[in-house]
Amino acid sequence: MEDNLLGGAYPLCRGAIEIYLKLLISNSQSELYKWHEKFTTFEIKQSCCTQIYSEEFDILFENRICKNAKNKVDYLHFGWVDFINGYHDVVRKFLYSVYGIITYLKNKKICKISELEELEHFYKSCHTDSKISHTALF
């Protein structure tokens, strides 16, 4: 936000919201830590090291629960949700995304729905092309 360049704050805000939501789920199901770590490792290797998907990732992608979701990048970032107990019973749209996680958290009442709705609003607003006033966010 230095030099009044508020656009630089949006990715940081989105990232903080994503981390918080992931922690809410992980704290309720501790076995998710290993799956989240595995997918984070896939993401790091794919994006900055090899630029290709590992064989292990490809196998997980081929065996994903939601075959209708074809976007490999979405699965790379959020494929670990396949290992959340009851996730696919609750989430029907945007399965491999932050919005799917928010839907799951609302349904399972892991935290206050009003808090999740506010976070969802801010998450949607955290784009540099957002029509919402910068001052409304900070």
Side-chain angles (χ1 to χ4, degrees):
M1 293 185 2
E2 187 175 332
D3 296 327
N4 204 27
L5 299 173
L6 296 175
Y10 293 119
L12 297 172
C13 181
R14 287 174 64 92
I17 291 169
E18 286 180 22
I19 289 168
Y20 178 68
L21 296 172
K22 289 174 183 180
L23 285 172
L24 285 174
I25 289 178
S26 296
N27 284 337
S28 69
Q29 298 180 30
S30 61
E31 69 276 1
L32 285 176
Y33 287 116
K34 77 172 190 171
W35 287 109
H36 184 267
E37 183 179 355
K38 182 178 282 291
F39 276 84
T40 300
T41 302
F42 291 148
E43 186 176 348
I44 291 168
K45 287 180 180 177
Q46 194 278 333
S47 65
C48 69
C49 300
T50 64
Q51 298 290 311
I52 59 172
Y53 296 103
S54 71
E55 184 179 335
E56 183 181 9
F57 174 80
D58 284 336
I59 291 168
L60 286 168
F61 182 74
E62 290 304 316
N63 294 311
R64 69 195 177 281
I65 291 176
C66 181
K67 301 288 190 207
N68 293 335
K70 306 279 188 218
N71 190 317
K72 238 179 179 178
V73 174
D74 289 347
Y75 190 75
L76 180 66
H77 297 301
F78 295 99
W80 55 273
V81 301
D82 278 355
F83 303 94
I84 297 173
N85 295 329
Y87 182 85
H88 292 282
D89 296 332
V90 172
V91 181
R92 300 286 182 212
K93 292 171 48 177
F94 310 112
L95 285 93
Y96 301 112
S97 74
V98 167
Y99 301 109
I101 292 172
I102 291 170
T103 300
Y104 175 81
L105 290 169
K106 283 179 182 177
N107 185 275
K108 294 297 180 178
K109 298 178 175 81
I110 291 176
C111 74
K112 293 180 183 176
I113 290 178
S114 61
E115 177 185 340
L116 292 168
E117 288 172 349
E118 286 182 31
L119 287 172
E120 184 175 19
H121 168 75
F122 286 128
Y123 189 81
K124 286 178 183 176
S125 301
C126 287
H127 296 280
T128 55
D129 61 346
S130 175
K131 304 285 188 247
I132 294 178
S133 162
H134 296 298
T135 56
L137 293 175
F138 302 102

